[in-house]
Amino acid sequence: MKRPKDWRKLVTPVYLEEGRAIGRMIMYDRSKEEYLWSLLGGTGIWPRWYLKAFAILYREENLKEYNTQRCRKYGRRKRKERMLAKCQESMAKASSEIAT
């Protein structure tokens, strides 16, 4: 089932009651959506698009937290890339010294 156009009207009451924690969990780790669906899918409580809607509503409600989380992920990724480049440079230097 696709998400309807008036999804905010449908989801907001449920989100206010019990969706905040789910939205926060999915916002921080997108793989949690699959995990939660494996738990909730067979119960028929909500359609799957509710989970993504909870994450969207939580993100909109806590924009500062979302931006902080994005910056941290970006920083981690860049740090990892720098360390990998430095490691490759060291390996190339070491292999060139061995060859000579």
Short mmCIF file of all heavy atoms in Angstrom, two decimals, residues 38-84:
data_model
loop_
_atom_site.label_atom_id
_atom_site.label_comp_id
_atom_site.label_asym_id
_atom_site.label_seq_id
_atom_site.Cartn_x
_atom_site.Cartn_y
_atom_site.Cartn_z
N SER A 38 9.99 -6.50 10.79
CA SER A 38 9.98 -7.95 11.03
C SER A 38 9.21 -8.28 12.31
O SER A 38 8.61 -9.34 12.42
CB SER A 38 11.41 -8.49 11.12
OG SER A 38 12.04 -8.05 12.29
N LEU A 39 9.22 -7.34 13.26
CA LEU A 39 8.45 -7.55 14.50
C LEU A 39 6.97 -7.23 14.32
O LEU A 39 6.10 -7.96 14.80
CB LEU A 39 9.01 -6.67 15.62
CG LEU A 39 10.42 -6.96 16.11
CD1 LEU A 39 10.83 -5.92 17.15
CD2 LEU A 39 10.52 -8.35 16.68
N LEU A 40 6.68 -6.12 13.64
CA LEU A 40 5.31 -5.62 13.56
C LEU A 40 4.55 -6.07 12.31
O LEU A 40 3.32 -5.98 12.28
CB LEU A 40 5.31 -4.09 13.58
CG LEU A 40 5.84 -3.42 14.84
CD1 LEU A 40 5.98 -1.93 14.61
CD2 LEU A 40 4.93 -3.71 16.00
N GLY A 41 5.26 -6.51 11.29
CA GLY A 41 4.62 -6.80 10.01
C GLY A 41 3.48 -7.80 10.08
O GLY A 41 2.43 -7.60 9.49
N GLY A 42 3.67 -8.85 10.81
CA GLY A 42 2.65 -9.90 10.88
C GLY A 42 1.46 -9.53 11.74
O GLY A 42 0.41 -10.17 11.65
N THR A 43 1.59 -8.50 12.57
CA THR A 43 0.49 -8.14 13.47
C THR A 43 -0.61 -7.38 12.76
O THR A 43 -1.76 -7.40 13.20
CB THR A 43 0.99 -7.29 14.64
OG1 THR A 43 1.54 -6.08 14.14
CG2 THR A 43 2.02 -8.04 15.46
N GLY A 44 -0.27 -6.68 11.68
CA GLY A 44 -1.27 -5.92 10.94
C GLY A 44 -1.71 -4.64 11.65
O GLY A 44 -2.76 -4.09 11.33
N ILE A 45 -0.93 -4.16 12.61
CA ILE A 45 -1.28 -2.93 13.33
C ILE A 45 -1.23 -1.74 12.40
O ILE A 45 -2.16 -0.95 12.34
CB ILE A 45 -0.31 -2.70 14.52
CG1 ILE A 45 -0.43 -3.83 15.52
CG2 ILE A 45 -0.57 -1.36 15.18
CD1 ILE A 45 0.59 -3.76 16.64
N TRP A 46 -0.11 -1.58 11.68
CA TRP A 46 0.08 -0.45 10.77
C TRP A 46 0.61 -0.97 9.44
O TRP A 46 1.30 -1.97 9.39
CB TRP A 46 1.13 0.54 11.31
CG TRP A 46 0.90 1.07 12.65
CD1 TRP A 46 -0.25 1.60 13.16
CD2 TRP A 46 1.86 1.17 13.71
NE1 TRP A 46 -0.06 2.00 14.44
CE2 TRP A 46 1.23 1.76 14.80
CE3 TRP A 46 3.20 0.82 13.82
CZ2 TRP A 46 1.88 2.01 15.99
CZ3 TRP A 46 3.85 1.08 15.01
CH2 TRP A 46 3.19 1.66 16.07
N PRO A 47 0.36 -0.20 8.38
CA PRO A 47 1.07 -0.50 7.13
C PRO A 47 2.54 -0.08 7.27
O PRO A 47 2.90 0.70 8.15
CB PRO A 47 0.36 0.36 6.09
CG PRO A 47 -0.67 1.14 6.78
CD PRO A 47 -0.67 0.80 8.23
N ARG A 48 3.38 -0.58 6.40
CA ARG A 48 4.82 -0.33 6.52
C ARG A 48 5.17 1.15 6.39
O ARG A 48 6.11 1.64 7.03
CB ARG A 48 5.58 -1.13 5.47
CG ARG A 48 7.07 -0.96 5.65
CD ARG A 48 7.83 -2.00 4.95
NE ARG A 48 9.24 -1.89 5.31
CZ ARG A 48 10.10 -2.81 5.06
NH1 ARG A 48 9.72 -3.91 4.47
NH2 ARG A 48 11.36 -2.65 5.38
N TRP A 49 4.46 1.90 5.58
CA TRP A 49 4.82 3.30 5.37
C TRP A 49 4.67 4.12 6.65
O TRP A 49 5.22 5.21 6.76
CB TRP A 49 4.03 3.90 4.21
CG TRP A 49 2.54 3.90 4.36
CD1 TRP A 49 1.69 2.97 3.88
CD2 TRP A 49 1.74 4.87 5.02
NE1 TRP A 49 0.41 3.29 4.21
CE2 TRP A 49 0.40 4.46 4.90
CE3 TRP A 49 2.01 6.05 5.70
CZ2 TRP A 49 -0.65 5.17 5.44
CZ3 TRP A 49 0.96 6.77 6.24
CH2 TRP A 49 -0.35 6.34 6.09
N TYR A 50 3.94 3.61 7.64
CA TYR A 50 3.84 4.31 8.93
C TYR A 50 5.21 4.47 9.56
O TYR A 50 5.51 5.50 10.18
CB TYR A 50 2.93 3.54 9.89
CG TYR A 50 1.49 3.98 9.91
CD1 TYR A 50 0.76 4.08 8.73
CD2 TYR A 50 0.85 4.25 11.10
CE1 TYR A 50 -0.57 4.46 8.75
CE2 TYR A 50 -0.48 4.63 11.13
CZ TYR A 50 -1.19 4.74 9.95
OH TYR A 50 -2.49 5.12 9.98
N LEU A 51 6.05 3.46 9.45
CA LEU A 51 7.38 3.52 10.07
C LEU A 51 8.20 4.68 9.49
O LEU A 51 8.82 5.45 10.22
CB LEU A 51 8.12 2.20 9.89
CG LEU A 51 7.46 0.98 10.52
CD1 LEU A 51 8.24 -0.27 10.17
CD2 LEU A 51 7.34 1.14 12.02
N LYS A 52 8.20 4.79 8.16
CA LYS A 52 8.92 5.90 7.53
C LYS A 52 8.28 7.24 7.90
O LYS A 52 8.97 8.23 8.11
CB LYS A 52 8.94 5.72 6.02
CG LYS A 52 9.86 6.72 5.34
CD LYS A 52 10.17 6.30 3.94
CE LYS A 52 11.10 5.16 3.99
NZ LYS A 52 12.28 5.18 3.26
N ALA A 53 6.97 7.27 8.00
CA ALA A 53 6.27 8.49 8.39
C ALA A 53 6.63 8.90 9.81
O ALA A 53 6.80 10.09 10.09
CB ALA A 53 4.76 8.30 8.26
N PHE A 54 6.78 7.94 10.71
CA PHE A 54 7.21 8.26 12.07
C PHE A 54 8.59 8.91 12.06
O PHE A 54 8.85 9.88 12.78
CB PHE A 54 7.26 7.01 12.95
CG PHE A 54 5.92 6.42 13.29
CD1 PHE A 54 5.82 5.10 13.65
CD2 PHE A 54 4.77 7.18 13.26
CE1 PHE A 54 4.60 4.54 13.98
CE2 PHE A 54 3.53 6.63 13.58
CZ PHE A 54 3.45 5.31 13.93
N ALA A 55 9.50 8.38 11.24
CA ALA A 55 10.84 8.95 11.15
C ALA A 55 10.80 10.37 10.59
O ALA A 55 11.49 11.26 11.08
CB ALA A 55 11.73 8.07 10.29
N ILE A 56 9.96 10.60 9.59
CA ILE A 56 9.84 11.94 8.99
C ILE A 56 9.29 12.92 10.02
O ILE A 56 9.81 14.03 10.18
CB ILE A 56 8.95 11.89 7.73
CG1 ILE A 56 9.65 11.13 6.62
CG2 ILE A 56 8.57 13.29 7.28
CD1 ILE A 56 8.76 10.81 5.44
N LEU A 57 8.24 12.52 10.72
CA LEU A 57 7.64 13.42 11.72
C LEU A 57 8.62 13.71 12.86
O LEU A 57 8.71 14.84 13.33
CB LEU A 57 6.34 12.82 12.26
CG LEU A 57 5.18 12.80 11.27
CD1 LEU A 57 4.02 12.02 11.85
CD2 LEU A 57 4.75 14.21 10.92
N TYR A 58 9.36 12.70 13.28
CA TYR A 58 10.34 12.93 14.35
C TYR A 58 11.43 13.87 13.88
O TYR A 58 11.84 14.77 14.60
CB TYR A 58 10.96 11.61 14.82
CG TYR A 58 11.86 11.82 16.02
CD1 TYR A 58 11.34 11.86 17.29
CD2 TYR A 58 13.23 12.02 15.86
CE1 TYR A 58 12.14 12.09 18.39
CE2 TYR A 58 14.05 12.25 16.95
CZ TYR A 58 13.50 12.28 18.22
OH TYR A 58 14.30 12.53 19.30
N ARG A 59 11.89 13.68 12.65
CA ARG A 59 12.93 14.55 12.10
C ARG A 59 12.45 15.99 12.03
O ARG A 59 13.17 16.91 12.38
CB ARG A 59 13.33 14.05 10.72
CG ARG A 59 14.42 14.89 10.09
CD ARG A 59 14.83 14.35 8.75
NE ARG A 59 13.74 14.44 7.80
CZ ARG A 59 13.46 13.52 6.90
NH1 ARG A 59 14.17 12.42 6.83
NH2 ARG A 59 12.47 13.69 6.07
N GLU A 60 11.22 16.20 11.56
CA GLU A 60 10.68 17.55 11.46
C GLU A 60 10.49 18.18 12.83
O GLU A 60 10.67 19.38 12.99
CB GLU A 60 9.36 17.53 10.71
CG GLU A 60 9.53 17.22 9.24
CD GLU A 60 8.21 17.03 8.52
OE1 GLU A 60 7.15 17.00 9.18
OE2 GLU A 60 8.25 16.89 7.28
N GLU A 61 10.12 17.38 13.81
CA GLU A 61 9.90 17.88 15.16
C GLU A 61 11.22 18.23 15.86
O GLU A 61 11.27 19.16 16.67
CB GLU A 61 9.14 16.82 15.97
CG GLU A 61 8.66 17.28 17.31
CD GLU A 61 7.87 16.18 18.00
OE1 GLU A 61 8.43 15.09 18.21
OE2 GLU A 61 6.70 16.43 18.30
N ASN A 62 12.28 17.51 15.55
CA ASN A 62 13.58 17.68 16.20
C ASN A 62 14.66 17.95 15.16
O ASN A 62 15.62 17.21 15.02
CB ASN A 62 13.94 16.41 16.99
CG ASN A 62 12.90 16.10 18.02
OD1 ASN A 62 12.79 16.79 19.02
ND2 ASN A 62 12.11 15.07 17.76
N LEU A 63 14.51 19.06 14.45
CA LEU A 63 15.40 19.37 13.35
C LEU A 63 16.85 19.58 13.81
O LEU A 63 17.78 19.17 13.13
CB LEU A 63 14.89 20.59 12.60
CG LEU A 63 15.37 20.76 11.17
CD1 LEU A 63 15.05 19.50 10.37
CD2 LEU A 63 14.73 21.96 10.53
N LYS A 64 17.04 20.19 14.96
CA LYS A 64 18.39 20.43 15.47
C LYS A 64 19.10 19.09 15.75
O LYS A 64 20.27 18.91 15.41
CB LYS A 64 18.33 21.26 16.74
CG LYS A 64 19.68 21.68 17.25
CD LYS A 64 19.57 22.60 18.44
CE LYS A 64 20.94 22.98 18.93
NZ LYS A 64 20.88 23.85 20.10
N GLU A 65 18.38 18.17 16.36
CA GLU A 65 18.95 16.84 16.63
C GLU A 65 19.29 16.12 15.33
O GLU A 65 20.35 15.48 15.22
CB GLU A 65 17.95 16.02 17.44
CG GLU A 65 18.43 14.67 17.85
CD GLU A 65 17.37 13.91 18.64
OE1 GLU A 65 16.36 14.49 19.05
OE2 GLU A 65 17.58 12.71 18.83
N TYR A 66 18.42 16.24 14.34
CA TYR A 66 18.65 15.60 13.05
C TYR A 66 19.90 16.18 12.37
O TYR A 66 20.73 15.43 11.85
CB TYR A 66 17.42 15.78 12.16
CG TYR A 66 17.63 15.32 10.74
CD1 TYR A 66 17.81 13.98 10.44
CD2 TYR A 66 17.66 16.24 9.69
CE1 TYR A 66 18.01 13.55 9.14
CE2 TYR A 66 17.86 15.82 8.39
CZ TYR A 66 18.02 14.49 8.12
OH TYR A 66 18.22 14.07 6.84
N ASN A 67 20.03 17.51 12.38
CA ASN A 67 21.19 18.13 11.75
C ASN A 67 22.48 17.76 12.46
O ASN A 67 23.51 17.54 11.81
CB ASN A 67 21.02 19.65 11.70
CG ASN A 67 20.00 20.06 10.67
OD1 ASN A 67 19.78 19.36 9.69
ND2 ASN A 67 19.34 21.18 10.89
N THR A 68 22.44 17.67 13.79
CA THR A 68 23.62 17.25 14.55
C THR A 68 24.00 15.83 14.17
O THR A 68 25.18 15.53 13.95
CB THR A 68 23.33 17.32 16.06
OG1 THR A 68 22.95 18.66 16.39
CG2 THR A 68 24.52 16.90 16.88
N GLN A 69 23.03 14.96 14.07
CA GLN A 69 23.28 13.57 13.71
C GLN A 69 23.86 13.48 12.30
O GLN A 69 24.79 12.72 12.05
CB GLN A 69 21.96 12.79 13.82
CG GLN A 69 22.07 11.35 13.43
CD GLN A 69 21.13 10.96 12.32
OE1 GLN A 69 20.41 11.78 11.78
NE2 GLN A 69 21.16 9.72 11.95
N ARG A 70 23.36 14.27 11.37
CA ARG A 70 23.89 14.27 10.00
C ARG A 70 25.34 14.73 9.98
O ARG A 70 26.17 14.15 9.27
CB ARG A 70 23.06 15.20 9.11
CG ARG A 70 21.84 14.56 8.56
CD ARG A 70 21.08 15.44 7.58
NE ARG A 70 21.94 16.16 6.68
CZ ARG A 70 21.68 17.38 6.21
NH1 ARG A 70 20.60 18.01 6.59
NH2 ARG A 70 22.49 17.96 5.38
N CYS A 71 25.66 15.78 10.73
CA CYS A 71 27.03 16.29 10.78
C CYS A 71 27.97 15.25 11.36
O CYS A 71 29.10 15.09 10.89
CB CYS A 71 27.10 17.57 11.61
SG CYS A 71 26.34 18.98 10.80
N ARG A 72 27.54 14.54 12.38
CA ARG A 72 28.38 13.50 12.97
C ARG A 72 28.65 12.38 11.98
O ARG A 72 29.77 11.89 11.87
CB ARG A 72 27.73 12.94 14.23
CG ARG A 72 27.84 13.86 15.40
CD ARG A 72 27.26 13.24 16.63
NE ARG A 72 27.33 14.19 17.74
CZ ARG A 72 26.51 14.18 18.76
NH1 ARG A 72 25.56 13.27 18.84
NH2 ARG A 72 26.64 15.07 19.71
N LYS A 73 27.62 11.95 11.26
CA LYS A 73 27.81 10.90 10.26
C LYS A 73 28.76 11.36 9.17
O LYS A 73 29.63 10.61 8.72
CB LYS A 73 26.47 10.49 9.64
CG LYS A 73 25.66 9.57 10.48
CD LYS A 73 24.43 9.11 9.72
CE LYS A 73 23.62 8.14 10.54
NZ LYS A 73 22.42 7.70 9.84
N TYR A 74 28.60 12.61 8.72
CA TYR A 74 29.47 13.15 7.69
C TYR A 74 30.92 13.20 8.18
O TYR A 74 31.84 12.81 7.46
CB TYR A 74 28.99 14.55 7.30
CG TYR A 74 29.86 15.23 6.28
CD1 TYR A 74 29.75 14.91 4.93
CD2 TYR A 74 30.79 16.20 6.65
CE1 TYR A 74 30.54 15.53 3.99
CE2 TYR A 74 31.59 16.81 5.71
CZ TYR A 74 31.46 16.48 4.39
OH TYR A 74 32.26 17.09 3.45
N GLY A 75 31.10 13.65 9.42
CA GLY A 75 32.45 13.73 10.00
C GLY A 75 33.09 12.36 10.11
O GLY A 75 34.29 12.19 9.82
N ARG A 76 32.32 11.36 10.55
CA ARG A 76 32.84 10.00 10.65
C ARG A 76 33.27 9.47 9.29
O ARG A 76 34.32 8.85 9.15
CB ARG A 76 31.79 9.07 11.25
CG ARG A 76 31.77 9.08 12.74
CD ARG A 76 30.86 7.96 13.26
NE ARG A 76 30.03 8.55 14.30
CZ ARG A 76 28.71 8.55 14.33
NH1 ARG A 76 28.03 7.95 13.40
NH2 ARG A 76 28.06 9.12 15.31
N ARG A 77 32.43 9.72 8.29
CA ARG A 77 32.74 9.24 6.95
C ARG A 77 34.01 9.91 6.41
O ARG A 77 34.89 9.24 5.85
CB ARG A 77 31.57 9.51 6.01
CG ARG A 77 31.77 8.88 4.64
CD ARG A 77 30.57 9.07 3.73
NE ARG A 77 30.50 10.46 3.32
CZ ARG A 77 29.40 11.18 3.29
NH1 ARG A 77 28.26 10.65 3.66
NH2 ARG A 77 29.41 12.42 2.91
N LYS A 78 34.15 11.22 6.60
CA LYS A 78 35.33 11.94 6.13
C LYS A 78 36.58 11.48 6.88
O LYS A 78 37.65 11.34 6.29
CB LYS A 78 35.14 13.45 6.27
CG LYS A 78 34.21 14.03 5.26
CD LYS A 78 34.77 13.79 3.87
CE LYS A 78 33.92 14.39 2.80
NZ LYS A 78 34.42 14.12 1.47
N ARG A 79 36.45 11.28 8.18
CA ARG A 79 37.59 10.81 8.97
C ARG A 79 38.05 9.44 8.49
O ARG A 79 39.25 9.18 8.36
CB ARG A 79 37.20 10.75 10.45
CG ARG A 79 38.34 10.56 11.39
CD ARG A 79 37.92 10.63 12.86
NE ARG A 79 36.94 11.65 13.16
CZ ARG A 79 35.71 11.41 13.64
NH1 ARG A 79 35.31 10.19 13.89
NH2 ARG A 79 34.88 12.40 13.89
N LYS A 80 37.10 8.59 8.19
CA LYS A 80 37.42 7.25 7.69
C LYS A 80 38.13 7.34 6.34
O LYS A 80 39.11 6.62 6.09
CB LYS A 80 36.14 6.43 7.56
CG LYS A 80 36.34 5.00 7.17
CD LYS A 80 35.02 4.27 7.15
CE LYS A 80 35.18 2.83 6.75
NZ LYS A 80 33.90 2.13 6.69
N GLU A 81 37.65 8.24 5.46
CA GLU A 81 38.29 8.41 4.16
C GLU A 81 39.71 8.92 4.31
O GLU A 81 40.62 8.46 3.60
CB GLU A 81 37.48 9.37 3.29
CG GLU A 81 36.16 8.80 2.80
CD GLU A 81 35.30 9.83 2.10
OE1 GLU A 81 35.73 11.00 1.96
OE2 GLU A 81 34.18 9.46 1.70
N ARG A 82 39.94 9.88 5.23
CA ARG A 82 41.29 10.41 5.45
C ARG A 82 42.22 9.33 5.98
O ARG A 82 43.37 9.21 5.53
CB ARG A 82 41.25 11.58 6.43
CG ARG A 82 40.77 12.88 5.83
CD ARG A 82 41.04 14.06 6.76
NE ARG A 82 40.47 13.89 8.09
CZ ARG A 82 39.28 14.32 8.46
NH1 ARG A 82 38.50 14.94 7.60
NH2 ARG A 82 38.86 14.15 9.70
N MET A 83 41.73 8.53 6.93
CA MET A 83 42.55 7.46 7.49
C MET A 83 42.89 6.41 6.44
O MET A 83 44.01 5.92 6.38
CB MET A 83 41.85 6.80 8.68
CG MET A 83 41.73 7.70 9.89
SD MET A 83 43.32 8.19 10.55
CE MET A 83 43.90 6.65 11.19
N LEU A 84 41.94 6.09 5.58
CA LEU A 84 42.17 5.13 4.52
C LEU A 84 43.21 5.65 3.53
O LEU A 84 44.12 4.92 3.12
CB LEU A 84 40.86 4.80 3.81
CG LEU A 84 40.92 3.75 2.70
CD1 LEU A 84 41.39 2.41 3.28
CD2 LEU A 84 39.57 3.59 2.05
#
